[in-house]
Amino acid sequence: MRAPPPRITNLALLVVLLIAFASGVGAVAAGTTSGRWVAVAHGVVGVAVVLLVPWKSMIVRRGLRRARRSRWASLVLAALAVTALLTGLGSASGLLRSVGGFHGIWLHVAAALALVPLVVWHVLARPAHPHRTDLSRRTLLRAGTLGAAAGVVYLGITAVVRAAGLPGASRRFTGSYETGSFDPTAMPTTSWIDDVAPEVDPATWRLVVADADGERELSLEALSRYDARLRATLDCTSGWYAHQDWEGVPVAALVRNIGAARSLHVHSTTG
């Protein structure tokens, strides 16, 4: 397909990046199978960004010939965009699970977030004003072809990952990898870069419950008398999930009188 005018390419890339960011945020929040389409859309849009690279590279080459003082910012933007794409693909395929102790998905998210201010600067510094004539039949055909091609390539990549038996084939629809299912000791104890698991003395720890009847304290021993069990999946946004048989206390057994309250405030040991 013949390359479109630079303005069309820039506008298309901006729209695709906005959708990629929005679907990425949505993918983090999607925890049920009904929301898996958001994660799929994020993958398809990521492929669309890659497909736009050849057209965008033509614009970049012309721009590098100009002696602009802000050229370094454009190069940093390009480097971050490539990093986000490579870490996203590496995490999805399982070929890049971690780098220096940092999960691939963390690096993908970090690069995407770092892109935001640079993209805003780029749009303001070098605006590509849309024209009424941009909404032509040719533009719509290009957009449709790009979307269809991105979907086909996404399905192709997924098929290759499964056929090759790469770790990414066993990911949950959220993109998380299984870690420590039915083996609590194998589950991660931290969720982010500088998390520290708190040290709690079981003998002195108390759960404070406040409801319409007042405030009371319960020890761990008192709570252990409840034998409520539930098999559930914990899917962490840091890229792992685990199926476990959980033991706990029903909230209804703790909060006896809600009075006029319409919400419940939980304050964890970690703060």
Side-chain angles (χ1 to χ4, degrees):
M1 191 190 310
R2 190 170 59 182
R7 186 184 68 259
I8 298 296
T9 299
N10 288 332
L11 289 173
L13 189 58
L14 176 60
V15 170
V16 170
L17 286 175
L18 290 175
I19 298 175
F21 186 81
S23 58
V25 173
V28 171
T32 60
T33 53
S34 61
R36 69 184 306 161
W37 66 269
V38 181
V40 173
H42 185 65
V44 173
V45 173
V47 173
V49 174
V50 176
L51 295 180
L52 284 170
V53 167
W55 290 345
K56 180 62 177 178
S57 63
M58 297 169 61
I59 302 173
V60 172
R61 284 196 299 268
R62 287 196 294 266
L64 289 177
R65 299 191 189 106
R66 304 168 186 168
R68 287 176 172 171
R69 288 183 295 178
S70 61
R71 183 167 54 181
W72 64 269
S74 298
L75 294 175
V76 172
L77 189 154
L80 285 173
V82 171
T83 301
L85 289 170
L86 292 179
T87 52
L89 182 60
S91 177
S93 63
L95 296 175
L96 184 67
R97 294 290 299 275
S98 65
V99 177
F102 299 105
H103 291 295
I105 191 66
W106 294 357
L107 300 176
H108 175 66
V109 172
L113 291 177
L115 267 175
V116 173
L118 287 173
V119 170
V120 172
W121 161 80
H122 191 75
V123 171
L124 295 177
R126 299 165 193 172
H129 300 291
H131 296 173
R132 184 175 298 178
T133 55
D134 291 341
L135 293 176
S136 63
R137 181 184 176 188
R138 178 175 295 180
T139 302
L140 293 177
L141 286 174
R142 282 197 177 106
T145 302
L146 176 66
V152 170
V153 173
Y154 175 82
L155 292 175
I157 293 174
T158 303
V160 169
V161 169
R162 291 175 179 172
L166 296 178
S170 62
R171 292 190 312 155
R172 198 164 180 256
F173 68 89
T174 57
S176 298
Y177 289 88
E178 186 173 11
T179 306
S181 287
F182 304 112
D183 183 10
T185 58
M187 278 177 50
T189 56
T190 59
S191 297
W192 196 234
I193 298 173
D194 59 348
D195 271 357
V196 178
E199 295 182 2
V200 178
D201 184 358
T204 60
W205 178 86
R206 294 292 183 272
L207 174 67
V208 180
V209 180
D211 56 16
D213 290 338
E215 187 176 289
R216 66 185 189 281
E217 294 185 354
L218 297 170
S219 65
L220 188 60
E221 181 183 1
L223 293 171
S224 63
R225 296 169 189 165
Y226 295 91
D227 193 26
R229 297 171 182 268
L230 177 68
R231 176 167 292 186
T233 301
L234 174 64
D235 194 328
C236 184
T237 54
S238 57
W240 62 271
Y241 76 93
H243 306 297
Q244 301 291 357
D245 290 322
W246 303 89
E247 300 178 15
V249 185
V251 175
L254 298 175
V255 182
R256 299 171 179 173
N257 185 356
I258 63 173
R262 300 181 61 186
S263 61
L264 177 71
H265 178 76
V266 179
H267 186 85
S268 72
T269 301
T270 60

